[in-house]
Amino acid sequence: MLLLAASAISITGSTGIAFAQEDSAAGNGDSMKLLGAGLAFGIAAGGAGIGLGQVGAAGLAVISENPALQSKVFIFVGMVESIAIYGIVMMFIILGQ
């Protein structure tokens, strides 16, 4: 009896609801822009995070052995961070179009 009630509820709950059709050209383009902007920033930030972990660990090892190389380590860290900044710039370019 419980199985019959559960199946009846699931069948009535799975029926579709009719909505008015939207303009698909405008809605689809905007959603693709948002998806592309999110992917551009997300992949760039993820790659920069992985790279920063590797460069940061190696940089701390170098600084602990020779503190005079600290400025060179900061340059390498800045180069890795620029990847995330490029992702932000691309995100704003995609959203601006």
Side-chain angles (χ1 to χ4, degrees), residues 13-88:
S14 66
T15 58
I17 299 173
F19 291 109
Q21 184 176 358
E22 296 179 9
D23 184 17
S24 63
N28 194 14
D30 291 340
S31 63
M32 288 298 139
K33 278 185 186 179
L34 291 174
L35 181 64
L39 283 174
F41 178 64
I43 292 172
I50 292 170
L52 190 60
Q54 299 290 324
V55 171
L60 286 175
V62 167
I63 291 172
S64 67
E65 290 181 11
N66 189 0
L69 296 175
Q70 183 177 5
S71 61
K72 291 184 180 181
V73 170
F74 285 149
I75 291 171
F76 286 122
V77 168
M79 289 170 53
V80 173
E81 284 291 325
S82 68
I83 302 296
I85 293 171
Y86 293 147
I88 291 173

